[in-house]
């Protein structure tokens, strides 16, 4: 996204900071930040639900523009990446959500659109049991699927445990903040956050000089849920932010998992209730999780790579399989009908070919009949 549109999007986000979901909806309806702001008093005609406060904010955007200019300058000075909703770098999973933030700020090295993203959440008053669950899970997941990004909220308890265990295992990890990138809360997690900048990163929807208040923590939950393939509740009491994140994840169609705990344990009551109410699937290990997610093929490839087994040692590809592999090498993630047209192969024949390639660990089937060539 070019400079002017980024500035316009920052202005829109600043003007409608009290209702970011409306800013996102207006942007999607009009097609650009400039058009959304130009709606002004007519915003209600474009999108029902825009109240008088919204229209008034869009009529007077001078202060919002100055704030946007200052934010853009701060980001450029401090190596912060600004990702607007229309950018390719914006977290694509999050973009699918209706209430995705119009703008995100990111500092770090992680790929926010990598192959696998898992959010791990839980109580701030975690026990040694919860910590052990996280440690074993993250360590084993790194062995099975090393290209996984671990996401959490950098809070006390399970959050910081997930980040630290990811770093210890050599897994990239991103913390979603409830404030701007000009300071850190809680301050005692600064050393971990600094390490994450080199092996993951920090992500937020908030401008600088934004306080870490209660509402922002609640809003943060939707980002933790929306940017991941799955949410894992490691340990939780009967009420808490982790359960809110799990509920939001379910509403987004994300997979939700929970570690069970002993009946009667206060800090496992929330997890046990999620499992009992069929709002989360029970897992006891990363192996359970990988199987439930259908990531076994990727896990097998990762294991073979660690053992020094190259793809050249797979069974030799047939001419038809080779043609598909070469096509996906040039243009990955194609639907089977497209592959059939490009290779001149009947769909009936191609179905068997794709199944064979999956069994050999060369391709992976994704939603919508799309096939991905495994690197």
């Amino acid at each position: 996204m070019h400079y002017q549109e980024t500035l316009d999007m920052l202005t829109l986000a600043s003007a409608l900071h009290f209702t970011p979901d409306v800013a996102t909806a207006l942007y999607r309806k009009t097609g650009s930040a400039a058009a959304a702001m130009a709606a002004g008093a007519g915003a209600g005609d474009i999108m029902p639900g825009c109240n008088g406060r919204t229209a008034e904010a869009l009529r007077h955007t001078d202060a919002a523009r100055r704030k946007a200019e200052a934010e853009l300058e701060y980001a450029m000075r401090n190596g912060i990446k600004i990702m607007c909703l229309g950018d390719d770098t914006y977290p694509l999973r999050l973009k699918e959500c209706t209430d995705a933030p119009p703008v995100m700020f990111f500092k770090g090295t992680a790929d926010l659109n990598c192959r696998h993203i898992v959010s791990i959440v839980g109580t701030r008053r975690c026990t040694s049991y919860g910590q052990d669950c996280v440690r074993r899970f993250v360590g084993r997941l790194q062995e099975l699927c090393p290209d996984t990004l671990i996401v959490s909220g950098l809070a006390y308890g399970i959050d910081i445990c997930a980040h630290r265990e990811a770093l210890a295992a050599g897994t990239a990890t991103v913390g979603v903040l409830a404030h701007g990138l000009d300071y850190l809360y809680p301050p005692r997690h600064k050393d971990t956050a600094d390490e994450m900048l080199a092996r993951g990163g920090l992500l937020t929807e908030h401008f600088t000089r934004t306080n870490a208040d209660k509402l922002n923590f609640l809003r943060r939950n939707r980002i933790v849920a929306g940017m991941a393939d799955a949410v894992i509740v490691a340990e939780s009491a009967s009420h808490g932010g982790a359960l809110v994140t799990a509920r939001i994840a379910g509403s987004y169609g994300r997979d939700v998992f929970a570690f069970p705990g002993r009946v009667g344990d206060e800090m496992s009551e929330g997890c046990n209730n999620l499992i009992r109410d069929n709002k989360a699937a029970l897992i006891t290990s990363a192996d359970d999780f990988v199987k439930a997610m259908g990531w076994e093929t990727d896990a097998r490839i990762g294991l073979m790579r660690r053992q020094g087994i190259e793809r050249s040692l797979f069974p030799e590809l047939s001419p038809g399989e080779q043609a598909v592999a070469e096509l996906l090498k040039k243009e990955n993630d194609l639907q089977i009908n497209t592959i059939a047209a490009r290779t001149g192969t009947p769909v009936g024949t191609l179905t068997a070919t794709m199944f064979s390639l999956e069994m050999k660990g060369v391709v992976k089937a994704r939603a919508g009949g799309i096939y991905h060539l495994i690197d």
Side-chain angles (χ1 to χ4, degrees):
M1 187 172 289
H2 58 75
Y3 176 86
Q4 188 58 50
E5 178 65 6
T6 299
L7 184 59
D8 288 340
M9 189 65 111
L10 286 168
T11 304
L12 176 67
S14 177
L16 300 183
H17 65 92
F18 54 89
T19 178
D21 55 328
V22 173
T24 293
L26 269 175
Y27 169 78
R28 285 176 165 156
K29 193 78 172 179
T30 59
S32 74
M37 288 192 299
D45 298 329
I46 298 174
M47 197 190 75
C50 289
N51 56 28
R53 186 183 179 189
T54 299
E56 183 68 15
L58 292 174
R59 274 198 297 265
H60 305 286
T61 59
D62 288 349
R65 174 70 68 171
R66 290 191 295 271
K67 186 174 182 179
E69 291 171 343
E71 200 67 24
L72 191 54
E73 181 183 351
Y74 181 87
M76 294 174 66
R77 286 200 320 266
N78 291 277
I80 295 170
K81 181 185 296 183
I82 297 176
M83 301 174 295
C84 300
L85 199 58
D87 293 342
D88 292 338
T89 55
Y90 191 97
L92 297 179
R93 296 165 178 83
L94 184 61
K95 188 181 293 189
E96 299 170 356
C97 306
T98 56
D99 56 353
V103 178
M104 299 288 289
F105 304 93
F106 178 65
K107 189 169 185 178
T109 60
D111 177 5
L112 301 180
N113 291 306
C114 67
R115 184 176 299 170
H116 302 312
I117 302 181
V118 179
S119 289
I120 300 176
V121 298
T123 177
R124 299 187 181 204
R125 297 187 293 130
C126 65
T127 68
S128 59
Y129 169 74
Q131 294 172 13
D132 288 343
C133 285
V134 172
R135 186 185 68 256
R136 289 193 299 266
F137 177 86
V138 172
R140 179 59 174 159
L141 187 62
Q142 165 63 17
E143 295 177 0
L144 296 173
C145 298
D147 56 350
T148 299
L149 173 65
I150 300 296
V151 174
S152 198
L154 206 72
Y156 293 107
I158 292 297
D159 283 20
I160 195 63
C161 179
H163 293 307
R164 288 171 176 163
E165 293 300 339
L167 291 170
T171 301
T173 182
V174 166
V176 183
L177 307 180
H179 51 77
L181 289 173
D182 52 334
Y183 83 108
L184 188 79
Y185 180 86
R188 67 187 300 176
H189 292 168
K190 186 178 185 305
D191 288 347
T192 301
D194 288 343
E195 190 175 353
M196 288 167 64
L197 292 176
R199 298 170 59 189
L202 302 176
L203 179 69
T204 185
E205 67 177 308
H206 298 292
F207 283 53
T208 54
R209 296 181 293 282
T210 300
N211 293 327
D213 58 34
K214 184 177 180 179
L215 176 61
N216 291 344
F217 281 106
L218 291 173
R219 285 168 53 178
R220 185 262 307 277
N221 293 337
R222 81 189 194 285
I223 298 174
V224 173
M227 67 180 293
D229 297 302
V231 169
I232 296 172
V233 185
E235 191 176 35
S236 175
S238 59
H239 296 87
L243 301 184
V244 174
T245 304
R247 177 181 58 77
I248 295 172
S251 73
Y252 288 158
R254 304 295 188 262
D255 292 290
V256 180
F257 299 87
F259 284 101
R262 188 171 59 184
V263 173
D265 281 0
E266 179 186 1
M267 287 301 115
S268 288
E269 189 174 350
C271 290
N272 290 342
N273 290 346
L274 285 174
I275 295 167
R276 179 199 64 197
D277 298 337
N278 294 317
K279 293 180 180 178
L282 184 155
I283 56 171
T284 61
S285 66
D287 296 80
D288 290 348
F289 173 75
V290 168
K291 182 177 181 180
M293 292 298 292
W295 292 354
E296 298 102 321
T297 299
D298 289 356
R300 184 158 61 90
I301 295 298
L303 177 61
M304 288 179 172
R305 284 177 175 166
R306 287 192 304 278
Q307 294 174 342
I309 302 174
E310 301 296 333
R311 180 168 293 159
S312 60
L313 296 185
F314 284 133
E316 187 176 344
L317 300 185
S318 70
E321 293 168 344
Q322 189 65 44
V324 171
E326 290 298 327
L327 173 62
L328 292 177
K329 189 180 296 183
K330 296 175 184 176
E331 187 178 355
N332 212 351
D333 299 327
L334 297 177
Q335 288 189 324
I336 191 168
N337 289 335
T338 303
I339 297 172
R342 300 274 182 86
T343 61
T345 307
V347 173
T349 302
L350 187 60
T351 300
T353 300
M354 301 312 295
F355 179 77
S356 177
L357 286 170
E358 280 192 82
M359 292 301 97
K360 293 178 180 179
V362 178
V363 303
K364 178 180 179 181
R366 290 183 168 174
I370 292 174
Y371 286 88
H372 175 83
L373 180 69
I374 299 172
D375 298 331

